[in-house]
Amino acid sequence: MARAQDDGAGRTIRAYEPRAVPWLSVVFGYGPMLPFLAGAVLVWLLPGRAAETVFTLTLLWGCAILLFLSGVRRGVSFRTEGGATLAQIATMLSLFLLGYGALLAFALGKPALALGQLIVGFTAITILDPIAARRGEAPLFFERLRPAQIPLAILGLGALLAYRLTL
């Protein structure tokens, strides 16, 4: 529960942050990983055009989620004591550029490049979010959630890349 004190010139916020992953973060953390896994399985099982449709939808889902997660990093930085850190801004910009770059690469007919950018972006989240959590630059529960959650996306994207490279 957050408590705020306003002195007219600004506001001081005190909040308790649990180490445990909140149930809503489990639902909205793991739920968006399911399309990566389903897409990865379906591209290998479905014939021709259906597989290509699933491939496209899953790749675009990856772009959307990476762009969303860049916004999450920016949003968290608004509540960082003392203001956003250079690491938070650099991470947000990097994730955004990787997500947007993947979208552009796909639009330009380079799906393998797009998948590579997504894999780099999601791998960065897996590594950097636990570090940010320990430094107070991201929610404390990211230290436990991200290393278990994000590799599911990487696994699905890797399967899509393998599928694309076999064509």
Side-chain angles (χ1 to χ4, degrees), residues 45-61:
L45 296 179
L46 293 173
R49 188 76 198 130
E52 285 302 310
T53 299
V54 170
F55 177 89
T56 296
L57 292 173
T58 308
L59 191 149
L60 292 174
W61 179 257

Side-chain angles (χ1 to χ4, degrees), residues 79-154:
R79 290 293 184 177
T80 300
E81 190 173 342
T85 66
L86 180 60
Q88 285 173 312
I89 298 301
T91 300
M92 178 271 299
L93 286 173
S94 298
L95 295 175
F96 180 83
L97 291 172
L98 285 165
Y100 189 66
L103 194 57
L104 285 177
F106 182 68
L108 296 172
K110 307 231 180 265
L113 177 60
L115 288 165
Q117 290 176 299
L118 292 173
I119 290 168
V120 168
F122 283 103
T123 300
I125 291 169
T126 304
I127 296 166
L128 297 176
D129 273 9
I131 294 168
R134 287 190 294 274
R135 293 173 51 173
E137 297 174 347
L140 190 55
F141 69 86
F142 278 18
E143 186 174 11
R144 291 180 52 210
L145 177 66
R146 294 300 197 225
Q149 168 205 20
I150 300 298
L152 299 174
I154 298 167

